[in-house]
Amino acid sequence: MTQHLESEYNASWHVPDHKEIVASWSGLAEQFRASSRHEANQPYGPKARNVMDIHFPAVEQADAAVLMFIHGGYWQSMDQRRFSHLAQGSVDNGLITVLPTYTLCPEGSVAQIIEELRLACATIWRRFQRPIVVAGHSAGGHLAACLLATDWPAYAPDLPHDMLRAGLGLSGLYDLEPLTYIGINEALQLNADTARASSPLFWPAPVSGQPFEAWVGGDESSEFHRQSQELAQSWSRQGLDAVYRALPGTNHYNVIAALADKESVVSERLLALATN
């Protein structure tokens, strides 16, 4: 079982040119930042990595939600600046776009990361007084689902129950239990109990009824498809508008490229969620 799960969850094994794809991100991100009107490394919490970049459109969509995009890296690598260019599509579509980062494992736990991103959401709401659409890739998709399913008035009394308008995960991980059997867990340090407690698949669906869309690269492993399918099914059974969607011809590394294109199906869907 362990060998099977290592193959299923180690996406690089299935994408021969993954190193070239990842290496390209830094240059694309730097190029975008050079032309973007943005505020870099804005603090949202007390820890060193509790920062976010805020990118502003030339012309804002009136009354639109703010888009938050959360990067992946299996909760143990990357930061927001590696992915700056992915704000291009939403900024071109008139959305204020926020890219946060967070404490990495093993310095922090997955549960701690969830709490940090909750603080980031609260900070965004308090500044802009607008609802938020939260999106994320891989580990970021997991965090997006966790944020959508948060009871915000219970978290802080000044926050509205519908503070988050919608969520969208790209190749997200919603059931963390399989990760406890493989090498990824050396940094995560999850056990059966903590993995389940941090898995939105086993949480109640968002109480305010905001939709969640679980998208996944069509060429991903069966486990990534299962993860998205099961979350959509579980939350749909609880009455939420939750859907699973595969993007043909995309893998774990290039599925996010569409975010940089304002006319891509992903960017157009995020715009619709932000302006409905």
Side-chain angles (χ1 to χ4, degrees):
M1 181 179 68
T2 297
Q3 185 175 2
H4 170 71
L5 291 176
E6 288 282 5
S7 174
E8 287 290 302
Y9 286 103
N10 193 327
S12 64
W13 292 9
H14 304 276
V15 185
D17 61 343
H18 71 276
K19 291 183 179 179
E20 291 80 3
I21 296 172
V22 173
S24 73
W25 292 342
S26 294
L28 293 169
E30 184 176 359
Q31 182 178 7
F32 173 70
R33 286 196 303 274
S35 62
S36 167
R37 183 168 66 92
H38 70 283
E39 298 175 4
N41 293 317
Q42 296 299 295
Y44 68 80
K47 297 186 178 297
R49 288 177 61 94
N50 291 168
V51 296
M52 54 189 175
D53 292 354
I54 307 172
H55 296 269
F56 296 92
V59 179
E60 292 183 17
Q61 287 276 353
D63 301 320
V66 175
L67 177 66
M68 173 194 275
F69 174 77
I70 308 170
H71 68 83
Y74 267 127
W75 307 271
Q76 58 192 276
S77 67
M78 307 289 185
D79 63 34
Q80 86 283 13
R81 292 174 68 79
R82 182 71 69 92
F83 300 94
S84 302
H85 58 294
L86 299 184
Q88 179 83 65
S90 52
V91 167
D92 287 349
N93 280 329
L95 303 181
I96 297 171
T97 304
V98 180
L99 279 69
T101 195
Y102 43 84
T103 303
L104 299 177
C105 299
E107 180 180 348
S109 66
V110 174
Q112 176 187 323
I113 294 170
I114 295 170
E115 289 301 311
E116 290 182 5
L117 270 296
R118 285 172 173 157
L119 183 57
C121 278
T123 301
I124 293 167
W125 166 261
R126 289 166 180 150
R127 172 169 175 176
F128 293 106
Q129 295 290 301
R130 295 189 188 188
I132 299 165
V133 171
V134 61
H137 171 241
S138 195
H142 160 267
L143 294 165
C146 292
L147 295 175
L148 195 72
T150 295
D151 183 346
W152 290 104
Y155 177 79
D158 65 311
L159 302 178
H161 70 281
D162 57 353
M163 186 175 83
L164 267 62
R165 179 173 287 176
L168 189 150
L170 286 167
S171 301
L173 294 150
Y174 311 110
D175 172 10
L176 306 190
E177 189 268 344
L179 306 183
T180 65
Y181 298 101
I182 58 178
I184 288 163
N185 200 41
E186 291 178 12
L188 305 184
Q189 299 181 0
L190 294 165
N191 58 41
D193 293 335
T194 58
R196 188 176 183 89
S198 291
S199 295
L201 177 62
F202 305 112
W203 294 11
V207 295
S208 300
Q210 301 96 326
F212 188 82
E213 304 197 359
W215 296 41
V216 64
D219 295 340
E220 299 245 31
S221 69
S222 60
E223 275 294 283
F224 277 97
H225 285 271
R226 178 190 69 80
Q227 293 255 355
S228 290
Q229 288 172 326
E230 290 192 359
L231 183 75
Q233 292 167 357
S234 174
W235 283 5
S236 292
R237 287 194 295 267
Q238 298 175 61
L240 192 77
D241 180 10
V243 299
Y244 155 79
R245 181 170 182 176
L247 288 171
T250 58
N251 59 51
H252 194 77
Y253 294 91
N254 64 19
V255 70
I256 54 176
L259 291 167
D261 176 6
K262 71 174 184 178
E263 296 181 349
S264 72
V265 64
V266 181
S267 292
E268 289 185 347
R269 185 59 188 143
L270 287 171
L271 178 62
L273 292 171
T275 56
N276 65 6

